[in-house]
Amino acid sequence: MTPTLRITFHDRGSGWRYTVAFPDGAHESGPLQGLEDLAAVLQRWGQGLTDLPWTELPTFGGAAPSSTEGVWSWDPTRLLVGERADAVTLVRRTKG
């Protein structure tokens, strides 16, 4: 059975966080402080993403790209792209 990944926002100062629940009852959790954190969590546990549509993943600053097709999150200099939650990649933004 696949671990379950949840990404949630905590408005009491801790911001975006992730929690992974394993079938044996164990848990892993932590903050998502930037795009690198989000990418790493999705690459590791994205196959179990639940309760959060891709279109509601957190972003980390910068303007939204002109086209968000295949773009799931961003920061001022990079985009998080991919076909599946567990196969995302960080790419540099291009001008234009």
Side-chain angles (χ1 to χ4, degrees):
M1 182 173 218
T2 302
T4 302
L5 169 63
R6 289 193 170 83
I7 296 175
T8 54
F9 185 78
H10 297 262
D11 58 1
R12 297 181 192 238
S14 60
W16 288 99
R17 298 187 58 80
Y18 78 95
T19 302
V20 180
F22 299 93
D24 66 1
H27 288 80
E28 172 184 310
S29 64
L32 296 171
Q33 296 178 328
L35 201 56
E36 294 92 359
D37 291 347
L38 179 59
V41 166
L42 289 173
Q43 288 165 350
R44 189 166 179 192
W45 305 115
Q47 75 278 8
L49 184 63
T50 63
D51 298 339
L52 185 73
W54 278 65
T55 55
E56 295 181 24
L57 288 175
T59 61
F60 301 94
S66 58
S67 171
T68 57
E69 185 175 340
V71 177
W72 308 112
S73 185
W74 57 84
D75 68 11
T77 60
R78 296 163 303 167
L79 304 172
L80 185 68
V81 300
E83 296 282 323
R84 299 185 331 258
D86 61 341
V88 293
T89 304
L90 288 174
V91 297
R92 287 238 169 258
R93 286 184 180 231
T94 57
K95 295 187 183 218

